[in-house]
């Protein structure tokens, strides 16, 4: 139903405009005086509705998704195992990785058996979705708090591994690391299968196996 | 000192002074607008952002100067000049102070006291429309031409009440010279009020200030450049320093109109109830009168900004209706009453 048109009868005072304009001017004057006084107060955050950005930064959430970093473990070893899952899931395809086996004489530098011999993130393409962080099996890649990413040149927006690790160091020093978001599956040599884990796993496997023939049967029926 | 040298100094001085005011006005407008809208405005360049006009100027100068392909080249470059020039020229007859005595020579603080100053002002006021219509026409852009046409219609219809309001003033003071009008506003009127035009012509003042807003193309009558309707009207195609000249001309226009309001209605350089000439030395009196005058002018300049950020734009037909159906009859009535009152009192 259409909204009924309300014919407003204006009083003479309203039709002369001038009085109404004066009322409006009183209102804007109040705003002006308030902000004018506020701008003389010391301190960066004077006008309550405005953040004066470079001096006055707002608190960002600890789980903010900003510039990436490559984490190290307690012994200072790189956690990344070069599995390439982050590169695979990245919707913007901005991660490029070269995987390599850890050389015998550099075992103390890397946590896993393999590592990424080159790791590059193109921040110009990144959409900061955080999928890479979510998918990483070793919590190696983490999105940090940095958001001032403007550069003068395109090349400046590439992040190589050294820079990513540097980001991690800086974040650790300033205490801005977020807690690990999931338990790390430690790649232990498979000696004895855990009884509980096995019990949980088996039905799932069975279910999958059962589902397959059913699907095939269903497909047959439709044809 | 030769007379022509004094005249030259006065011309250069007032020219620079008005330029300075226009420059500061761009800053006042932006900061004032932001304060009214709960923002901060440009506060980075210099203390309180005072160097912002300089930064804007540098920006406008270094921008590429684009002339549209199909534009009428000569008219296109003529437009901004035609707009800015009358605004400056109108200052020639504005008395920006009483007089100053330097080296035994009495200097009138006015570039030239021509006896038809009043007509000169009105004539130059209607000149400004050429800058707009020429710029709008030469741009070869439909929004520009619409802006130009609106400006023409608006200025022509508001020129009439403006002239009629001023006519009532000349009836009262019996002169066309702006300096004599200013001089006549000294002392008190009916014993209580200062002898200012506004107390003798309250209706005339309202008419004049409304038409002044329309003449200056300011909100609520900024139809020639209504952003939400016709991009930015007559200066849509302009960029670089040509645009700068248009924007600048607008502020010079404001300054001129404020000076006229003060001269006609707010007692020019006179303070209410105080006769400065009585107790100030000849030099300090000259300076004081100049300062008082521009103090009043700055109030009206601020009023322009204040109103701009308070009142929304009128619709086109409302502007025309207000002009023809309200202001012109009122101006005629005002003129009639004034004439009657003068006839009865003499
Ligand atoms: S945050 Fe998203 S877009 Fe950026 S690198 Fe990670 S997965 Fe790719
Ligand atoms: S960062 Fe994580 S997901 Fe990416 S390659 Fe390294 S271990 Fe794999």
């Amino acid at each position: 139903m259409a909204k009924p048109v309300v014919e407003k009868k204006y009083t003479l005072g309203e039709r002369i405009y001038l009085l109404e304009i004066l009322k409006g001017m009183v209102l804007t004057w109040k705003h002006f005086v308030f902000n004018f006084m506020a701008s003389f107060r010391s301190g960066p955050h004077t006008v309550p509705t405005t953040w004066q950005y470079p001096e006055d930064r707002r608190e960002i959430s600890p789980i903010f998704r900003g510039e990436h970093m490559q984490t190290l473990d307690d012994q200072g070893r790189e956690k990344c195992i070069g599995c390439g899952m982050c590169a695979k899931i990245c919707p913007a395809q901005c991660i490029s990785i070269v995987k390599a086996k850890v050389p015998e004489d550099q075992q103390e530098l890397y946590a896993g058996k393999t590592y990424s011999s080159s790791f590059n993130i193109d921040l110009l393409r990144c959409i900061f979705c955080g999928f890479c962080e979510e998918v990483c099996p070793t919590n190696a890649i983490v999105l940090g708090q940095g958001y001032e990413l403007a550069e003068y040149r395109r090349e400046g927006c590439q992040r190589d591994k050294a820079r990513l690790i540097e980001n991690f160091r800086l974040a650790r020093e300033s205490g801005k690391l977020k807690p690990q978001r999931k338990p790390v599956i430690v790649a232990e040599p498979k000696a004895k299968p855990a009884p509980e884990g096995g019990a949980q796993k088996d039905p799932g496997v069975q279910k999958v196996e059962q589902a397959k023939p059913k699907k095939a049967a269903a497909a047959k029926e439709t044809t | 000192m030769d007379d022509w040298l004094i005249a030259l100094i006065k011309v250069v001085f007032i020219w620079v002074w008005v330029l300075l005011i226009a420059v500061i006005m761009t800053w006042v407008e932006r900061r004032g607008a932001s304060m009214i809208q709960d923002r901060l405005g440009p506060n980075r360049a210099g203390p309180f952002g005072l160097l912002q006009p300089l930064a804007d100027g540098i920006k406008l100068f270094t921008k590429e100067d684009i002339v549209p392909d199909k534009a009428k080249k000569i008219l296109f470059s003529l437009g901004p000049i035609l707009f800015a020039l009358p605004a400056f020229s109108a200052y020639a007859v504005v008395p920006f102070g009483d007089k100053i005595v330097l080296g035994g020579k009495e200097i009138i603080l006015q570039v030239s006291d021509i006896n038809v100053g009043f007509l000169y002002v009105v004539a130059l006021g209607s000149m400004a429309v050429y800058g707009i219509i020429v710029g709008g026409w030469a741009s070869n852009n439909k929004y520009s031409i619409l802006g130009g046409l609106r400006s023409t219609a608006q200025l022509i219809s508001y020129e009439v009440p403006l002239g009629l309001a001023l006519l009532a003033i000349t009836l009262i003071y019996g002169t066309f010279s702006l300096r004599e009008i200013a001089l006549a506003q000294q002392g008190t009127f009916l014993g209580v009020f200062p002898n200012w035009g506004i107390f003798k012509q309250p209706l005339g003042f309202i008419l004049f200030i409304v038409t002044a807003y329309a003449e200056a193309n300011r909100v609520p009558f900024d139809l020639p450049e209504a952003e939400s309707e016709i991009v930015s009207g007559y200066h849509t195609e302009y960029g670089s320093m040509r645009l700068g000249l248009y924007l600048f001309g607008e502020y010079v226009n404001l300054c001129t109109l404020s000076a006229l309001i003060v001269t006609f209605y707010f007692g020019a350089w006179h303070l209410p109830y105080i006769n400065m000439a009585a107790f100030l030395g000849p030099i300090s009196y000259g300076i004081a009168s100049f300062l008082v005058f521009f103090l009043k002018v700055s109030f009206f300049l601020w009023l322009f900004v204040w109103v701009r950020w308070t009142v929304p734009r009128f619709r086109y037909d409302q502007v025309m209706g207000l002009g023809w159906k309200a202001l012109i009859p009122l101006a005629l009535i005002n003129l009639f009453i004034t004439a009657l009152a003068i006839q009865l009192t003499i």
Side-chain angles (χ1 to χ4, degrees):
Chain A
M1 203 182 82
K3 213 173 162 188
V5 178
V6 182
E7 289 279 341
K8 188 174 183 305
K9 279 268 174 284
Y10 290 104
T11 61
L12 185 68
E14 282 170 339
R15 274 190 290 149
I16 289 177
Y17 300 127
L18 285 176
L19 218 62
E20 298 296 309
I21 287 176
L22 282 181
K23 273 192 214 163
M25 283 170 72
V26 169
L27 184 77
T28 44
W29 179 251
K30 279 183 196 152
H31 278 260
F32 176 79
V33 170
F34 176 76
N35 290 303
F36 190 72
M37 304 309 273
S39 71
F40 279 105
R41 247 182 272 142
S42 60
H45 190 64
T46 50
V47 176
T49 42
T50 311
W51 293 87
Q52 274 160 277
Y53 161 61
E55 293 98 44
D56 190 15
R57 288 151 202 264
R58 50 195 319 166
E59 292 262 310
I60 52 177
S61 156
I63 56 166
F64 184 82
R65 299 198 300 262
E67 191 181 355
H68 308 67
M69 48 195 178
Q70 274 274 7
T71 56
L72 307 176
D73 66 3
D74 303 339
Q75 295 145 44
R77 300 180 299 177
E78 271 180 37
K79 281 193 201 164
C80 176
I81 54 171
C83 66
M85 274 158 79
C86 51
K88 195 127 199 170
I89 199 152
C90 176
Q93 300 186 353
C94 55
I95 304 180
S96 45
I97 291 176
V98 177
K99 182 183 179 179
K101 264 214 155 75
V102 177
E104 287 296 321
D105 54 337
Q106 291 180 12
Q107 298 282 8
E108 75 284 358
L109 287 179
Y110 303 102
K113 284 208 173 72
T114 51
Y115 77 114
S116 49
S117 62
S118 125
F119 193 104
N120 195 53
I121 298 183
D122 185 354
L123 286 184
L124 284 175
R125 305 189 62 162
C126 178
I127 56 172
F128 300 98
C129 59
F131 282 6
C132 47
E133 178 180 2
E134 217 163 295
V135 80
C136 177
T138 58
N139 281 343
I141 190 164
V142 171
L143 269 68
Q145 309 245 317
Y147 57 88
E148 285 151 329
L149 303 173
E151 293 280 349
Y152 283 106
R153 314 183 62 83
R154 275 157 190 271
E155 296 79 51
C157 292
Q158 306 291 333
R159 291 288 182 271
D160 59 0
K161 194 143 97 182
R163 179 72 190 271
L164 292 169
I165 291 176
E166 186 57 31
N167 284 346
F168 172 71
R169 289 222 172 86
L170 291 177
R172 192 169 55 182
E173 272 160 30
S174 55
K176 276 188 183 156
L177 281 181
K178 48 187 166 186
Q180 288 210 340
R181 39 175 314 283
K182 61 191 171 201
V184 185
I185 307 145
V186 184
E188 291 289 325
K190 273 183 190 166
K192 43 182 180 182
E196 286 166 34
Q200 276 174 354
K201 220 174 188 179
D202 281 343
V205 175
Q206 277 168 10
K207 259 183 200 164
V208 173
E209 280 168 359
Q210 281 167 0
K212 263 183 187 168
K214 260 190 192 170
K215 255 188 194 168
K220 263 179 199 166
E221 272 168 29
T222 48
T223 46
Chain B
M1 263 194 282
D2 295 342
D3 279 346
W4 66 266
L5 194 63
I6 293 173
L8 190 71
I9 290 171
K10 280 196 286 194
V11 167
V12 171
F13 172 74
I14 200 66
W15 200 66
V16 171
W17 181 251
V18 172
L19 271 178
L20 196 69
I21 289 183
V23 164
I24 294 173
M25 269 309 284
T26 62
W27 174 81
V28 169
E29 170 118 84
R30 294 179 63 185
R31 287 305 308 256
S34 62
M35 297 273 165
I36 285 174
Q37 298 172 338
D38 293 347
R39 294 184 288 117
L40 283 166
N43 59 353
R44 294 285 153 186
F48 303 105
L50 263 172
L51 294 183
Q52 187 64 36
L54 198 71
D56 286 347
I58 292 171
K59 188 198 93 171
L60 282 173
F61 263 116
T62 49
K63 277 204 159 182
E64 188 186 357
D65 181 22
I66 297 171
V67 180
D69 240 7
K70 294 268 175 61
K72 306 246 182 315
K73 300 278 176 331
I74 298 171
L75 287 183
F76 190 77
S77 36
L78 205 63
I81 299 168
L82 274 182
F83 184 72
L85 218 61
F88 276 115
S89 317
Y91 246 95
V93 294
V94 172
F96 50 89
D98 192 1
K99 57 188 177 225
I100 190 165
V101 183
L102 283 179
K105 200 164 165 65
E106 198 169 271
I107 302 168
I108 296 169
L109 290 181
Q110 183 181 18
V111 172
S112 72
D113 180 21
I114 51 176
N115 54 7
V116 288
F118 165 89
L119 293 179
Y120 176 82
V121 164
V122 176
L124 278 179
S126 16
M127 277 285 289
V129 72
Y130 283 105
I132 296 179
I133 186 71
V134 162
W137 170 256
S139 295
N140 189 42
N141 175 321
K142 60 184 166 205
Y143 298 117
S144 298
I145 189 71
L146 274 176
L149 285 175
R150 280 180 173 197
S151 157
T152 322
Q154 180 179 320
L155 256 80
I156 287 175
S157 37
Y158 278 77
E159 196 78 3
V160 182
L162 181 97
L164 288 175
L166 287 185
L167 215 54
I169 282 281
T170 52
L171 273 187
I172 286 179
Y173 295 115
T175 173
F176 273 160
S177 153
L178 265 60
R179 182 174 161 76
E180 278 169 38
I181 290 176
L183 278 173
Q185 297 186 40
Q186 200 171 15
T188 49
F189 161 65
L190 295 179
V192 233
F193 303 116
N195 198 6
W196 290 0
I198 180 168
F199 296 108
K200 294 182 176 172
Q201 284 282 315
L203 183 59
F205 167 68
I206 291 170
L207 290 171
F208 187 84
I209 199 161
V210 172
T211 46
Y213 278 72
E215 289 276 305
N217 296 324
R218 289 287 289 192
V219 178
F221 304 111
D222 69 333
L223 293 153
E225 45 185 298
E227 287 95 346
S228 48
E229 298 160 26
I230 47 172
V231 193
S232 58
Y234 59 93
H235 56 58
T236 305
E237 293 288 352
Y238 282 90
S240 178
M241 212 44 217
R242 295 179 210 260
L243 176 69
L245 213 54
Y246 266 126
L247 301 181
F248 217 68
E250 191 188 322
Y251 288 107
V252 176
N253 246 336
L254 291 190
C255 194
T256 311
L257 284 165
S258 305
L260 290 180
I261 292 173
V262 171
T263 311
F264 287 130
Y265 293 99
F266 276 81
W269 59 83
H270 299 298
L271 281 176
Y273 312 119
I274 301 169
N275 187 5
M276 286 189 299
F279 57 89
L280 283 178
I283 293 180
S284 53
Y285 172 63
I287 295 170
S289 65
F290 175 78
L291 289 181
V292 167
F293 183 78
F294 276 97
L295 209 67
K296 292 178 183 175
V297 168
S298 57
F299 169 75
F300 281 96
L301 284 172
W302 166 244
L303 196 72
F304 273 107
V305 172
W306 187 4
V307 167
R308 172 164 183 184
W309 301 103
T310 303
V311 188
R313 182 182 307 124
F314 278 88
R315 221 168 50 216
Y316 185 61
D317 61 313
Q318 287 171 331
V319 170
M320 285 300 154
L322 183 69
W324 289 100
K325 287 195 242 153
L327 292 183
I328 292 182
L330 278 177
L332 285 171
I333 291 170
N334 183 42
L335 189 64
F336 178 73
I337 293 173
T338 311
L340 206 65
I342 290 172
Q343 196 63 40
L344 292 179
T345 47
I346 290 174

